[in-house]
Amino acid sequence: MPRPQPRPDRIDLVVQAWRRERPDLDVSPQQVIGRLHRVANHLTDELVPVFARHGLTEGEFDVLATLRRTGPPYARSPGDLAAHTLVTSGGMTKRIDRLERGGLVTRRVSDTDARARVVALTDRGRQVVDAAFTDHMANERRLLDALDPADQAALERVLRAWLPALEEPPTTD
């Protein structure tokens, strides 16, 4: 059975207007890029409240999740955290400060280099990030369930092919 045609969206109206005003330009990239941008904004709007329910910002969740998925002892240097979360060192310091004040992480001297510092999850931090991650995965499932499984798989394949063209592959995580 053929799929029903999706109803026109804001991007259709934008593209239609640009085609009228600038017929000399190929505005078809907006069909993809414009929709991806809008979807990303909507996804952020749907994700942030889940983190907030756990007393976290999106960035703080990112730091805690990065520490949690490293496995025991759930610790990394501030530089590693900045590299794995794509945040400047100054931005990372602010996040770590807030998390430390909240009792979710500690900072200590490295066991291998007395000049270096390590950020580690506290027991409370692990409990908070585990609860937040559980809710986050349920929320992401809810969001993806707007697409049928075949479209989810197709989107994952397309994004997996496209992302390496836009960013360097990670060395580790």
Side-chain angles (χ1 to χ4, degrees), residues 3-159:
R3 289 185 185 191
Q5 281 290 73
R7 61 189 165 104
D9 60 22
R10 285 190 171 108
I11 300 301
D12 289 321
L13 299 176
V14 168
V15 168
Q16 184 180 48
W18 277 120
R19 284 184 174 147
R20 181 188 68 242
E21 295 300 316
R22 291 296 307 270
D24 57 311
L25 292 178
D26 174 14
V27 296
S28 63
Q30 287 188 327
Q31 297 279 14
V32 174
I33 303 296
R35 284 188 176 91
L36 277 174
H37 186 72
R38 289 187 61 82
V39 165
N41 288 338
H42 286 293
L43 290 175
T44 297
D45 290 346
E46 294 288 329
L47 298 176
V48 167
V50 172
F51 306 137
R53 284 197 304 268
H54 295 275
L56 302 170
T57 65
E58 185 176 27
E60 291 164 349
F61 172 81
D62 197 17
V63 171
L64 295 177
T66 300
L67 288 169
R68 177 63 172 96
R69 71 178 176 259
T70 64
Y74 310 111
R76 285 190 177 233
S77 74
D80 284 346
L81 286 170
H84 284 86
T85 58
L86 304 176
V87 174
T88 65
S89 61
M92 181 55 61
T93 298
K94 290 178 184 176
R95 287 181 185 179
I96 294 168
D97 287 346
R98 286 190 305 262
L99 292 167
E100 188 174 36
R101 281 192 304 272
L104 303 177
V105 300
T106 60
R107 277 186 264 218
R108 60 176 168 77
V109 174
S110 169
D111 295 335
T112 58
D113 182 352
R115 297 167 296 164
R117 299 289 178 261
V118 173
V119 177
L121 275 179
T122 62
D123 288 341
R124 182 168 178 266
R126 184 172 170 194
Q127 291 168 357
V128 168
V129 74
D130 281 353
F133 187 68
T134 297
D135 290 351
H136 177 53
M137 287 298 92
N139 191 37
E140 284 193 348
R141 171 52 45 211
R142 176 187 66 83
L143 293 166
L144 271 178
D145 282 346
L147 301 175
D148 68 46
D151 285 343
Q152 289 177 37
L155 182 58
E156 191 272 334
R157 278 191 306 277
V158 168
L159 295 174

